[in-house]
Amino acid sequence: MSLLQYVQKLYSLDTLDPRFTASYKAPANANNNRQLDPAKPSTKEAETDARQQDGNRSAALQDAASPSLWRTSEFYIYYVVFLVCVPLMFKAVYDVSKPSHPSYQKYADLLSPGWIPGRMVDNSDDQYSTFRDNIPYMFILVVIHPLLRKLYESIYSLKDTSQTISIPKEQKSGSTLPHELAEARMNRRVTFDLYFGLIFLCALHGFSAFKVLLILYTNFLIAKRVRRQYVTAATWVFNIGILFANELGKGYRYSAIAAAVLPWPTTRDASVDGKAGTNWGSTLDAYGGLVPRWEILFNITVLRLISFNLDYAWSLDRGGSSPVEKKQLDVANLSERERVDTPARHQDYSFRNYLAFILYSPLYLTGPIITFNDYISQARYTLRSVTTGRTVLYGVRFLICLLTMEVMLHFIYAVAISKAQPAWEVYTPFQLSMLGYFNLHIIWLKLLLPWRFFRFWALLDGIDPPENMVRCMSDNYSTLAFWRGWHRSLNRWIVRYLYIPLGGSGGSQTRGKWGKARAALNFMTVFMFVAFWHDIQLRLLMWGWLISLFVLPEVLASFLFPKKKWQNHKTAYRWICGVGAVGNILMMMAANLVGFAVGLDGLQGLVHGIVGTYSGLVFLATACAALFVGAQIMFETREQELRQGIKMKC
């Protein structure tokens, strides 16, 4: 394989997440497949039918795609714009990060010694610095965890069968295991996940692990003990209440609990020097593990709690009917939608499986999020997408992203500058816009890196969760599509457990004036939940409102300029969409700067510095023209994907 071919494979969509590609959707090879039900069509017939369906879908997408524009004179002009603008963008923000810049001393104390000679590193972001400082220890954990699993499986291997529980090499691509082996594999995986997860939880949170377990047990009782018609409401009320209680109670410190609950004086109420005393609760608080503030990381756990309860409740609605038998599905080769929608067996919704799912170590801290049904399905059968070659490529891609972040933090101090709140008037409009732009890129990378690291860990362990970031931040022009690709597993979770149960955006219930109003209310409810879920702060609530507001122009434009009416004027329509895309990009940048970077006051300072002068207005017009060029490249990128039979919807 040549270097160019390797790079193409490294950055292929199949390496990032094969859920979008035909190679993942196609059934397993007929020679490696064992039939579970003789009444079903033969494997060869099923393979032929599935390939024909995939081929028809791909052909339909290819027919709908426009002819390539990559080698047209219009796009050659765009290439020149890229060659000129991109280096200038980096230079602008690099210049303001030099020690010779007038504002350097205002944020110099936020910088740390770096490993690149002659450069400091901007490690001032508290969220990312925690991840960055613990990378060596996490890599050790990633090595130890799979080795311990192999040791566990070798010690407790079945003695009454000549086959191992893990899928044999010749069947290791999602092929069908006998029922007994699949059950044994699931039981072993879940048992190991439970024991390792409990140890991992105690190491992370120390004695606070008991608080976490108490919440988990209470949520499980809601699913099992509350009457079916009240489970959904009770689950949502309890878990949203936990989000608020965790914030207000600051993690329920044992010292505060002891002082409030015990009616008699505690062990030491006051020290000799008259300072505030300590009690047994303070002693427990002192052993808070590696991450004493457990409540900060608990938000992602709440999603899994809701997933289990609702998956279990919906499984009860199906009664004794099994979609697997009704649709004659091959349980070892289910699609992602089938794994998510197909309920697990009734006995699978046990407390052991519940705890193992909630505490699954590779995904416990940050996700990506998988549903309970999907977890149990993958515990029984390894997906065909989990291969050594693809996992290695994914790991290489993660390391490249990590190196990119390191270089940016050593040469671009956008985060430290924004935290120092300098006098914005010392920067030119171009420099101000680039500070905002690269600030957003660093936010994107600081989220991408933990998500990809923990997904890489899960892939090494044989579980394939969805990729959270499927496009670069700069490759987005649609507000609606942006949220399908940004934190994608959360988006899919929200669609399944919140948006569709509320009524979604279509169907008979959303027709007419009141129906449209209800659809808009559902959309706002979703973003209000997402804002509160991230953190209970006013600026994130404002972010949710802004996102809901900024979606309206795109929806309105889609009604005013329907694509089907412009089939004979495709170039004009593409340019009109480009103008709209520029507005969308500016609004998305503004909303995310408010929610995750500089806040409303910081945004006002940036905007005033950019448009407050005549030169700033000229720059804004020039920047809009550059964004228009970028939008045209984005349009053509998606058309190229359609020509390859791929539609990512983001």
Side-chain angles (χ1 to χ4, degrees), residues 26-33 43 47 51 173-175 330 333 384:
N29 189 290
N31 295 327
N32 293 333
N33 210 1
T43 305
E47 179 182 355
R51 291 190 183 280
S173 296
S175 54
D330 181 357
N333 288 297
R384 289 182 298 106

Side-chain angles (χ1 to χ4, degrees), residues 159-216:
K159 297 180 180 180
D160 56 348
T161 178
S162 60
Q163 301 183 48
T164 61
I165 288 178
S166 58
I167 299 177
K169 292 182 179 179
E170 66 271 15
Q171 293 183 320
K172 207 169 184 177
S173 296
S175 54
T176 304
L177 281 175
H179 174 73
E180 295 79 8
L181 283 181
E183 287 300 305
R185 182 183 189 275
M186 188 270 288
N187 287 327
R188 279 198 187 178
R189 284 195 62 91
V190 168
T191 301
F192 178 84
D193 290 343
L194 174 59
Y195 290 150
F196 192 92
L198 288 171
I199 297 172
F200 188 59
L201 181 70
C202 293
L204 284 176
H205 305 315
F207 282 106
S208 291
F210 295 107
K211 306 172 192 175
V212 176
L213 292 174
L214 179 61
I215 295 173
L216 302 191

Side-chain angles (χ1 to χ4, degrees), residues 100-257:
S100 58
H101 194 273
S103 66
Y104 181 82
Q105 294 304 320
K106 292 186 177 181
Y107 62 85
D109 59 326
L110 296 175
L111 305 179
S112 307
W115 56 267
I116 295 180
R119 297 298 302 182
M120 303 290 282
V121 61
D122 183 359
N123 198 29
S124 59
D125 186 283
D126 296 332
Q127 188 180 26
Y128 182 72
S129 64
T130 302
F131 173 78
R132 182 177 185 270
D133 296 342
N134 288 286
I135 286 177
Y137 308 107
M138 290 189 293
F139 269 111
I140 294 174
L141 188 61
V142 166
V143 173
I144 291 176
H145 178 261
L147 292 178
L148 287 177
R149 185 184 291 281
K150 289 184 179 297
L151 178 63
Y152 174 85
E153 292 185 349
S154 64
I155 293 175
Y156 294 97
S157 59
L158 289 179
K159 297 180 180 180
D160 56 348
T161 178
S162 60
Q163 301 183 48
T164 61
I165 288 178
S166 58
I167 299 177
K169 292 182 179 179
E170 66 271 15
Q171 293 183 320
K172 207 169 184 177
S173 296
S175 54
T176 304
L177 281 175
H179 174 73
E180 295 79 8
L181 283 181
E183 287 300 305
R185 182 183 189 275
M186 188 270 288
N187 287 327
R188 279 198 187 178
R189 284 195 62 91
V190 168
T191 301
F192 178 84
D193 290 343
L194 174 59
Y195 290 150
F196 192 92
L198 288 171
I199 297 172
F200 188 59
L201 181 70
C202 293
L204 284 176
H205 305 315
F207 282 106
S208 291
F210 295 107
K211 306 172 192 175
V212 176
L213 292 174
L214 179 61
I215 295 173
L216 302 191
Y217 182 65
T218 305
N219 182 78
F220 182 79
L221 291 181
I222 291 174
K224 292 290 187 174
R225 301 290 178 84
V226 175
R227 296 179 64 178
R228 166 62 191 96
Q229 59 265 38
Y230 305 124
V231 169
T232 300
T235 296
W236 278 104
V237 170
F238 173 74
N239 283 280
I240 291 178
I242 284 294
L243 290 177
F244 280 93
N246 288 351
E247 180 72 18
L248 297 175
K250 300 185 183 302
Y252 324 111
R253 295 176 181 173
Y254 286 113
S255 57
I257 295 174

Side-chain angles (χ1 to χ4, degrees), residues 207-333:
F207 282 106
S208 291
F210 295 107
K211 306 172 192 175
V212 176
L213 292 174
L214 179 61
I215 295 173
L216 302 191
Y217 182 65
T218 305
N219 182 78
F220 182 79
L221 291 181
I222 291 174
K224 292 290 187 174
R225 301 290 178 84
V226 175
R227 296 179 64 178
R228 166 62 191 96
Q229 59 265 38
Y230 305 124
V231 169
T232 300
T235 296
W236 278 104
V237 170
F238 173 74
N239 283 280
I240 291 178
I242 284 294
L243 290 177
F244 280 93
N246 288 351
E247 180 72 18
L248 297 175
K250 300 185 183 302
Y252 324 111
R253 295 176 181 173
Y254 286 113
S255 57
I257 295 174
V261 173
L262 297 181
W264 57 84
T266 51
T267 305
R268 287 177 293 166
D269 287 328
S271 57
V272 177
D273 58 3
K275 293 183 180 180
T278 60
N279 53 36
W280 59 266
S282 301
T283 304
L284 296 181
D285 289 333
Y287 295 93
L290 299 174
V291 185
R293 296 191 63 191
W294 63 272
E295 70 276 10
I296 296 177
L297 301 172
F298 195 75
N299 290 12
I300 198 78
T301 304
V302 164
L303 302 181
R304 289 190 284 268
L305 298 182
I306 296 173
S307 172
F308 175 85
N309 282 21
L310 297 191
D311 280 359
Y312 174 66
W314 293 339
S315 73
L316 298 178
D317 295 339
R318 291 181 179 267
S321 63
S322 171
V324 173
E325 297 176 358
K326 187 177 296 184
K327 299 180 180 179
Q328 296 293 293
L329 300 175
D330 181 357
V331 292
N333 288 297

Side-chain angles (χ1 to χ4, degrees), residues 528-563:
M528 289 282 287
F529 169 77
V530 172
F532 280 125
W533 176 80
H534 276 93
D535 203 353
I536 303 174
Q537 293 183 9
L538 179 59
R539 70 174 188 174
L540 284 172
L541 184 60
M542 294 174 63
W543 167 83
W545 290 336
L546 287 173
I547 291 296
S548 301
L549 178 64
F550 290 165
V551 165
L552 295 179
E554 182 176 346
V555 174
L556 181 61
S558 65
F559 282 111
L560 295 177
F561 301 96
K563 185 176 182 179

